[in-house]
Amino acid sequence: MAASITSPCVGLCSTTLGDPVCRGCQRGDDEILDWFGLTGDEREARMAELDALREAVAGRFLRVVDAQCLEAQLLRYRIRFRPEQPALSRAVELLRVGRTRIQALPRYGLEPCEEAIGLDVAELHASISQALTEAAESRRAAQQKSRMDRRTS
């Protein structure tokens, strides 16, 4: 029996619609295609990069005030997460799935940062998603530049 391969895929791949960067997992189309050819260590490093990206972006909008409460809600609603996944990265998944049902962020161990005060949960999710897309596109451009630099040196 083959071991399962961990993937950041959330089943919402927008690259099939022509986006160069997936709005669901924030990977570039080439990174998605190459995923199963990467070594386990390379996949772990990429997962850590994506978690750091989500933490940096989500941290502008949200603060985790109770990580145990957040985890309990993720389990309650059967939202997938990895044990090593940082709480803010997990919160991004919670908002993606629950943005139309969540009424009060504190019930989920979260509170808005100054930039998000006054936004309802759907607006908060939209703001985070837009910022994640922009950050992921910058990440992809940097990866492409790095590949080009390696080829020319």
Side-chain angles (χ1 to χ4, degrees):
M1 180 199 270
S4 67
I5 295 178
T6 302
S7 168
C9 180
V10 297
L12 182 73
C13 193
S14 65
T15 61
T16 60
L17 304 173
D19 288 344
V21 174
C22 179
R23 289 180 243 159
C25 71
Q26 291 81 49
R27 290 180 294 168
D29 50 6
D30 50 344
E31 189 173 18
I32 292 168
L33 289 172
D34 296 343
W35 192 259
F36 292 101
L38 298 174
T39 67
D41 288 343
E42 289 169 327
R43 283 191 300 273
E44 282 181 32
R46 299 280 177 91
M47 294 287 281
E49 285 176 27
L50 293 166
D51 282 337
L53 179 86
R54 290 184 192 121
E55 279 187 298
V57 170
R60 294 178 13 215
F61 300 90
L62 279 176
R63 215 175 353 265
V64 176
V65 293
D66 187 341
Q68 289 179 323
C69 179
L70 173 62
E71 185 169 325
Q73 293 289 7
L74 290 164
L75 292 169
R76 177 179 177 204
Y77 292 106
R78 297 186 175 125
I79 299 170
R80 286 183 334 163
F81 64 91
R82 293 170 284 108
E84 71 279 3
Q85 188 174 6
L88 275 172
S89 182
R90 293 176 180 191
V92 170
E93 293 307 307
L94 176 73
L95 293 178
R96 181 183 62 78
V97 173
R99 66 186 173 270
T100 60
R101 294 184 297 260
I102 295 172
Q103 299 298 312
L105 288 173
R107 291 183 185 163
Y108 296 83
L110 304 169
E111 69 180 18
C113 291
E114 190 173 321
E115 193 168 332
I117 292 175
L119 298 178
D120 67 30
V121 176
E123 293 168 329
L124 174 61
H125 172 262
S127 295
I128 291 173
S129 292
Q130 179 62 40
L132 273 172
T133 297
E134 292 167 5
E137 287 171 351
S138 294
R139 176 180 174 266
R140 179 176 184 258
Q143 287 173 330
Q144 288 177 326
K145 182 181 181 323
S146 176
R147 274 195 292 272
M148 292 299 288
D149 290 346
R150 282 195 304 266
R151 286 182 189 152
T152 59
S153 53

